[in-house]
Amino acid sequence: MTSFDSRRISSIHHDLHQHLPSESVLRTKALESLLVEKGLIDPAAMDAWIEMYRDEIGPKRGAKVVARAWRDPSFKRDLLENATAAIEQFGFAGHGTGHLQAVENTSEIHNLVVCTLCSCYPFSILGIPPAWYKSNEYRARAVREPRAVLSEFGVEIPPTVEVRVWDSTSERRYLVIPQQPNGVESWSQEQLAELVSRNSMIGTQRDLSPTRRQA
Amino acid sequence: MDGVHDLGGREGFGPILGKGDERPFRFDWEMRAFGLAQAAAGDANWSIDWFRHCRELIVPAEYLTRPYFDQWVVTIAAQMIDAGYLTLEELDAGKSAFVRQPGYPPETAEEARAYVQSARSYALDSEAPPLFVVGDAVRAKSMGHPGHTRLPSYARGRRGSVIGHHGAHVLPDASAAGTPRGEHLYTIGFAASELWPEAHDSCDQVFVDLWESYLERI
């Protein structure tokens, strides 16, 4: 039975530190084969998880939601009010989006999402978080020097624009609605969705204009 | 918990690498590690908060230096050993020393797919009326919790204001200790200038979701 004992877990981690092979590949293989042998992992379940997040679930889902919000003001209102309910009609509700909060970029505001304590992320609409989102560097710096971090991503925020950093400490997860670029008013929703990048929905990209993209 | 995982605002970290990498998994083993961590059987009272707490307790030097999904593998191994499903000796030998444990059936592929499609709610009733309303000035407590907590150290002792109340949610501190209960959850807005000395003339803000027991009225 689970002990819920911090000291016991610390001690196990120290043992593992000394006993596990140092290469991640070998560690993973060792644990997988043992757990399968013990019947504690169903290989078909493991394959299902991998297939879902390798092939089916990714940021294209979020992009569809954003494009719809750009085109349909009443949907955008719903999305800002209760994003969990709003994404249900797409069939995207699920893993990590039970309490989804959409935040909107405007001419005066830029939003940036981080999880300083671990790696919380709205999986079912954005897929697996990028490696940099989970990195120590991003987690340490995004809350303290968001403008410097944004600048590294090639995003310069003018001093008149307020930067709002959302630290995901709870099961509430965040989706940034980027600004619709100019000059795409006649585009279809499908074309607009093509413009919406994963980074723009985390907040590390601001300008989605097609000319910039080709540059 | 005052551990190395609590990274918000720590200085000395360098540039962010791999910014243009769009791959969900960079290596094959990462994919296996992800699937393994998701599909592994657990006790009935397993919680995400317990998983996070066990990950926070990884040997500090290892926490800061080993790859992300590697930490998941180590966390699952530690949890399995703690719960008695696995021993260090078996890991050393690479061979199971005892037979299947029918009491803890692993997740099936159907269950995995159903889990991903259900927007699991962490709302949990609390009989206590909320202590704060939107607009209230509050201070995050200067003490954290000795076990798992979601009060980041950079917010401790800092003044902010309530910008959202989300009803009661599972309190991570209690859930990671095996005794889940609901507590009111708020979004607190902190001026960057309240958090960081170098941001004294900044208009920026940091928003943190914090539970009621993390907060005190000013």
Side-chain angles (χ1 to χ4, degrees):
Chain A
M1 286 298 288
T2 295
S3 69
F4 297 107
D5 180 341
S6 305
R7 257 185 289 190
R8 183 173 149 83
I9 291 290
S10 275
S11 151
I12 294 171
H13 274 313
H14 279 269
D15 288 341
L16 286 169
H17 176 60
Q18 290 173 19
H19 284 262
L20 281 180
S22 66
E23 279 181 48
S24 303
V25 170
L26 297 178
R27 288 184 169 193
T28 308
K29 230 177 228 168
L31 191 64
E32 180 187 340
S33 66
L34 264 178
L35 296 185
V36 168
E37 190 186 341
K38 282 171 166 285
L40 291 165
I41 284 183
D42 177 347
M46 198 169 147
D47 288 346
W49 275 103
I50 292 170
E51 280 161 26
M52 285 189 283
Y53 279 99
R54 187 191 52 199
D55 308 330
E56 298 161 33
I57 302 172
K60 280 194 174 6
R61 288 182 163 195
K64 268 190 190 169
V65 172
V66 168
R68 170 83 188 274
W70 284 348
R71 264 299 132 80
D72 179 348
S74 86
F75 175 75
K76 188 164 93 179
R77 266 197 308 278
D78 292 346
L79 186 64
L80 287 165
E81 199 166 295
N82 183 347
T84 299
I87 63 169
E88 230 167 71
Q89 58 182 280
F90 291 88
F92 296 163
H95 192 195
T97 57
H99 304 276
L100 184 66
Q101 169 86 60
V103 291
E104 188 186 11
N105 285 352
T106 66
S107 307
E108 292 83 36
I109 293 168
H110 182 80
N111 294 284
L112 181 69
V113 183
V114 62
C115 176
T116 63
L117 294 172
C118 53
S119 53
C120 296
Y121 196 70
F123 292 91
S124 78
I125 46 163
L126 296 186
I128 295 286
W132 60 257
Y133 181 85
K134 299 172 285 202
S135 72
N136 298 332
E137 291 78 13
Y138 183 71
R139 288 168 51 199
R141 294 177 55 209
V143 274
R144 184 155 191 166
E145 43 173 1
R147 287 169 189 267
V149 166
L150 285 164
S151 176
E152 273 179 40
F153 278 88
V155 182
E156 302 297 337
I157 305 288
T160 49
V161 172
E162 178 190 324
V163 174
R164 296 185 167 182
V165 183
W166 301 86
D167 189 356
S168 317
T169 61
S170 84
E171 296 306 328
R172 287 164 42 74
R173 305 293 164 86
Y174 294 90
L175 170 72
V176 176
I177 308 176
Q179 275 183 296
Q180 180 180 320
N182 295 323
V184 296
E185 289 70 22
S186 61
W187 288 30
S188 71
Q189 216 162 283
E190 289 69 30
Q191 287 175 306
L192 288 176
E194 290 291 319
L195 283 179
V196 183
S197 67
R198 175 189 66 191
N199 286 16
S200 73
M201 294 181 279
I202 303 173
T204 51
Q205 187 181 355
R206 182 166 169 87
D207 182 0
L208 292 176
S209 56
T211 46
R212 182 193 156 89
R213 217 166 172 237
Q214 283 154 11
Chain B
M1 180 185 149
D2 298 326
V4 289
H5 70 284
D6 189 353
L7 286 169
R10 302 278 179 226
E11 296 184 89
F13 286 88
I16 294 149
L17 304 173
K19 293 189 276 287
D21 196 339
E22 294 283 329
R23 292 171 295 173
F25 304 105
R26 294 169 302 170
F27 308 103
D28 219 43
W29 73 264
E30 291 188 333
M31 210 161 74
R32 305 305 298 170
F34 168 76
L36 181 161
Q38 296 290 358
D43 272 344
N45 53 5
W46 186 93
S47 69
I48 183 67
D49 303 296
W50 172 240
F51 181 81
R52 286 184 185 136
H53 188 46
C54 293
R55 186 179 155 217
E56 293 166 359
L57 290 162
I58 288 176
V59 177
E62 207 165 299
Y63 185 97
L64 289 173
T65 55
R66 295 202 62 94
Y68 177 80
F69 283 114
D70 183 290
Q71 297 187 2
W72 282 29
V73 168
V74 169
T75 303
I76 291 292
Q79 290 188 324
M80 290 272 171
I81 292 172
D82 173 58
Y85 303 162
L86 181 72
T87 65
L88 208 54
E89 292 68 35
E90 290 176 308
L91 273 172
D92 276 341
K95 185 107 194 77
S96 170
F98 44 90
V99 286
R100 283 168 177 256
Q101 306 206 6
Y104 307 107
E107 183 183 65
T108 63
E110 291 71 33
E111 284 162 351
R113 290 192 167 272
Y115 182 91
V116 164
Q117 285 161 30
S118 66
R120 200 165 159 222
S121 172
Y122 287 81
L124 204 63
D125 284 342
S126 163
E127 284 176 16
L131 282 183
F132 307 110
V133 295
V134 171
D136 279 357
V138 292
R139 187 193 304 273
K141 287 193 178 156
S142 44
M143 292 283 206
H145 186 279
H148 179 67
T149 186
R150 301 296 279 177
L151 170 57
S153 55
Y154 71 81
R156 293 183 199 165
R158 309 296 175 165
R159 291 166 300 163
S161 61
V162 178
I163 68 130
H165 171 226
H166 312 293
H169 278 228
V170 177
L171 176 67
D173 312 46
S175 170
T179 51
R181 66 166 192 274
E183 191 178 290
H184 289 281
L185 175 66
Y186 306 89
T187 300
I188 309 299
F190 295 92
S193 57
E194 169 73 12
L195 299 173
W196 321 113
E198 68 275 22
H200 53 88
D201 58 355
S202 170
C203 63
D204 298 344
Q205 294 192 75
V206 178
F207 296 91
V208 192
D209 294 319
L210 298 174
W211 277 263
E212 197 164 85
S213 57
Y214 302 174
L215 302 167
E216 54 198 16
R217 195 175 292 282
I218 300 181

